[in-house]
Amino acid sequence: MYLSREEERMLSGEEGLAVQKAMQLLTALGEVFGAERMVKIESAQIAGVSYGNIGDAGMEFLEDWADLGGKVRVKSTLNPAGMDLDKWKEMGIDDEYYQRQMRILKAFEKMGVEITCTCTPYLVGNRPRSGAHVAWSESSAVVFANSVLGARTNREGGPSALAAAITGRTPCYGLHLEDNRVPTAIVKVEARLESIFDFSLLGYTVGRILGSGIPYFKGVLVRDFDKLKIMSAALAASGGIAMFYVGDRRRTADKLEKVCVDQRELELSREKLSSEGKPDLACIGCPHCSIQELRDLARALKDKRVKEGCALWVWTSQGVYDQAKDRGYLRAIEGAGGKVFTDTCMVVCPLEKSGYSHMVSNSCKAAHYVPSTSGLKATATETYLVLESVMEGR
Amino acid sequence: MQERTYRGRGVAKFVGKGEALVSRQGISFFGGVDPTTGLIREKGHDLCGQDVTGKVLVFPKGKGSTVGSYVLYQLKKNGHAPAGIINVETEAIIATGCILAEIPLVDKLEVDPISAISTGDYVVVDGKEGRVVVRRG
């Protein structure tokens, strides 16, 4: 693998131990994946933040790297943590969990990472320009960055994204190379697509069928960012997909896989993401809600209130939360008995501490992960049905 | 005593040696290995109940959550890391964990390591030179 003089200096330890270790990691990964050189990056999105997810192992590693003097060189933002940084007690989080989560965030802060704690960095100031090379490690944001924003990133792990932030570089392979960014499968959709949930279900179905590769949804015209956002998340949950195309495009790979998605295939996904019994916890915001989604939710909750024994938990970023507060959407949601949490989500927080037993969401990604991450039953369905299951007229 | 040297690719450029522990199955360090004891606890795994501490682990490749990289790091801090790892062809989780934890890692040997190396063999993993030495008997 070719290294520039500056990169050689980093590897030899002339720029400190943290930079050296970061470069060791990146060159080794570069060799594993057959990269010929490094490429400079414009931003990093770092996963592996929730204490419940990375545990003491990850916490100790991050503290050690921060103590070695690691400092990020590019704009670096953070994935959701395991709790709302203010309202953690309302989520049933205990003091020990809180303390350890804060140690993780302090380590990141010491390294210069912005404590954004969201899976939608592109909604709160980390929005790369088209063509920019970045190192992102939130799977839904990776898909969104490659497919909607036109940025270039592989599916990074937490440590490799952090190492990229510390060196300002990532090995140049995979989706950093133009030749690898062509569709490998053509998806014919024979079903009506209207709601946000339809697009989540479509993404989940295609991820399930393909597993990997770059699907091209020929003729599917969609410009609504919220639909593209939820589809990105679902594609990366049921499969290892990092990029897709919609609309019209000519250039494709020579060997093109063909997939047809009809109503029957969508129903099959829906059955996989359904549980018996009545849901008691409605969750909206996987990926984190945009301001438009909070507006729509505020409107849908007019003259409604949360039923006894049920809850409505909404998840967003601190940045969007502040906007929603100014525009009165928060008051509307909270007035109906809902709670709006920031910095975390139903997938990475210890949802089992909530005391509820069956989550319902309009996000297939959320329904896919929640049973294994927190043991709750989970169902995915249309947004209005999510709300109907826990709300009643006022 | 029989001694053989095999060439491979040095991924984590450190050197270590120990008794081999060979598996035909992939290993998920997250959930699959106890970071405080080094014991493999994945039910149904052919190495379930075995201790990885100080051993040279030979297996096809890593699997499971990327948090597995941090578990390798924690094993090292707790004094229960393997002395080295040999994969058929490694992937990002094991490669990342070995580099963070300074555990030697070699893959792509000129022979299939799972049939060439047996549990109990004495093995030197040289990640610097991309080489593995196997002693038997």
Side-chain angles (χ1 to χ4, degrees):
Chain A
M1 187 174 179
Y2 167 81
L3 293 183
S4 70
R5 205 178 265 182
E6 193 184 354
E7 288 155 5
E8 290 283 6
R9 260 205 322 273
M10 292 181 182
L11 191 60
S12 69
E14 282 175 53
E15 302 200 19
L17 258 177
V19 173
Q20 183 182 30
K21 285 189 178 286
M23 200 41 120
Q24 279 175 354
L25 174 56
L26 297 176
T27 49
L29 290 176
E31 278 168 28
V32 168
F33 293 114
E36 289 176 1
R37 62 183 179 90
M38 293 282 173
V39 61
K40 288 191 180 177
I41 56 158
E42 296 185 14
S43 79
Q45 165 73 12
I46 302 164
V49 182
S50 162
Y51 173 67
N53 186 208
I54 66 171
D56 291 330
M59 179 182 74
E60 286 175 20
F61 164 76
L62 292 167
E63 288 184 333
D64 289 349
W65 267 32
D67 286 344
L68 288 179
K71 283 274 184 292
V72 301
R73 296 180 185 218
V74 295
K75 184 172 189 71
S76 302
T77 46
L78 216 51
N79 247 31
M83 62 187 198
D84 186 305
L85 303 188
D86 297 320
K87 293 184 277 196
W88 51 279
K89 278 190 177 154
E90 287 177 43
M91 301 177 64
I93 303 275
D94 59 50
D95 200 54
E96 193 183 330
Y97 189 102
Y98 168 80
Q99 297 294 349
R100 283 166 192 253
Q101 182 64 71
M102 292 313 286
R103 278 173 63 180
I104 291 168
L105 296 181
K106 283 205 181 82
F108 277 121
E109 199 167 27
K110 195 169 166 186
M111 290 188 270
V113 181
E114 294 177 34
I115 307 303
T116 46
C117 298
T118 178
C119 52
T120 57
Y122 46 88
L123 295 181
V124 293
N126 185 358
R127 184 164 172 166
R129 61 182 178 84
S130 179
H133 293 274
V134 299
W136 282 20
S137 59
E138 152 58 31
S139 67
S140 72
V142 164
V143 181
F144 194 88
N146 278 318
S147 318
V148 183
L149 304 178
R152 290 146 188 259
T153 179
N154 288 317
R155 277 166 64 107
E156 298 293 342
S160 64
L162 178 60
I166 286 174
T167 60
R169 285 155 172 84
T170 190
C172 192
Y173 69 94
L175 293 176
H176 289 287
L177 301 171
E178 188 59 35
D179 283 352
N180 297 329
R181 296 174 63 87
V182 293
T184 60
I186 194 153
V187 181
K188 201 170 153 204
V189 183
E190 291 183 345
R192 275 169 72 102
L193 300 172
E194 285 171 4
S195 67
I196 280 197
F197 176 68
D198 289 339
F199 282 87
S200 185
L201 201 57
L202 175 64
Y204 193 82
T205 305
V206 170
R208 173 173 65 75
I209 296 170
L210 285 180
S212 60
I214 302 180
Y216 167 27
F217 298 87
K218 196 174 181 188
V220 174
L221 291 168
V222 50
R223 290 203 175 79
D224 182 337
F225 267 29
D226 294 323
K227 289 175 179 164
L228 292 164
K229 168 163 81 70
I230 206 162
M231 186 163 96
S232 297
L235 278 164
S238 56
I241 286 167
M243 185 175 183
F244 67 86
Y245 286 98
V246 288
D248 286 306
R249 183 192 161 84
R250 287 201 198 101
R251 194 170 161 232
T252 55
D254 295 336
K255 275 190 187 166
L256 205 58
E257 204 174 328
K258 289 197 173 70
V259 176
C260 181
V261 176
D262 54 14
Q263 205 59 45
R264 202 180 49 89
E265 285 289 357
L266 294 177
E267 279 307 316
L268 200 63
S269 297
R270 202 174 168 145
E271 278 167 31
K272 279 180 182 290
L273 299 172
S274 293
S275 295
E276 294 282 310
K278 281 189 178 171
D280 51 5
L281 175 62
C283 286
I284 305 274
C286 171
H288 274 166
C289 282
S290 67
I291 189 70
Q292 291 79 14
E293 286 175 294
L294 291 183
R295 179 199 61 200
D296 293 347
L297 195 57
R299 285 181 188 163
L301 294 178
K302 200 163 174 280
D303 302 324
K304 297 216 168 66
R305 66 166 180 211
V306 175
K307 285 184 211 167
E308 186 77 34
C310 292
L312 168 64
W313 286 9
V314 181
W315 314 85
T316 190
S317 55
Q318 187 64 51
V320 169
Y321 180 93
D322 292 341
Q323 290 175 46
K325 195 172 183 180
D326 290 344
R327 299 189 194 181
Y329 305 153
L330 276 191
R331 204 173 43 225
I333 296 166
E334 286 167 356
K339 284 183 195 286
V340 183
F341 291 115
T342 60
D343 323 308
T344 185
C345 75
M346 63 288 240
V347 175
V348 297
C349 80
L351 205 59
E352 68 278 11
K353 294 179 195 278
S354 69
Y356 298 99
S357 63
H358 186 168
M359 182 209 70
V360 60
S361 176
N362 61 353
S363 167
C364 292
K365 174 178 177 172
H368 175 81
Y369 283 116
V370 158
S372 58
T373 55
S374 57
L376 270 74
K377 290 200 279 187
T379 296
T381 189
E382 295 285 350
T383 312
Y384 77 94
L385 293 173
V386 171
L387 298 179
E388 261 181 26
S389 53
V390 299
M391 311 292 293
E392 61 190 5
R394 181 152 52 178
Chain B
M1 193 183 73
Q2 197 188 349
E3 180 175 306
R4 299 200 104 127
T5 301
Y6 302 110
R7 305 192 62 81
R9 177 172 72 166
V11 178
K13 302 185 188 325
F14 311 100
V15 184
K17 53 201 170 187
E19 212 177 279
L21 192 57
V22 184
S23 171
R24 304 200 154 272
Q25 291 171 270
I27 294 180
S28 167
F29 277 86
F30 181 67
V33 180
D34 186 333
T36 57
T37 62
L39 291 174
I40 295 177
R41 60 185 178 191
E42 184 181 330
K43 280 183 193 139
H45 198 282
D46 59 10
L47 295 184
C48 189
Q50 300 273 359
D51 187 351
V52 304
T53 310
K55 297 282 170 57
V56 169
L57 271 181
V58 184
F59 59 100
K61 57 155 63 175
K63 62 172 187 176
S65 166
T66 54
V67 178
S69 305
Y70 288 143
V71 173
L72 278 164
Y73 185 79
Q74 204 182 18
L75 280 167
K76 180 76 169 202
K77 287 194 76 171
N78 292 338
H80 287 287
I85 291 180
I86 299 168
N87 281 164
V88 174
E89 186 171 356
T90 199
E91 45 59 65
I93 303 169
I94 301 295
T96 299
C98 283
I99 290 158
L100 300 184
E102 304 190 349
I103 297 167
L105 170 63
V106 173
D107 76 342
K108 291 193 168 176
L109 291 194
E110 54 193 326
V111 293
D112 175 15
I114 292 161
S115 41
I117 305 171
S118 305
T119 291
D121 288 350
Y122 185 80
V123 179
V124 180
V125 185
D126 187 341
K128 283 187 178 157
E129 299 292 329
R131 193 173 58 182
V132 165
V133 182
V134 182
R135 286 183 203 132
R136 187 172 299 171

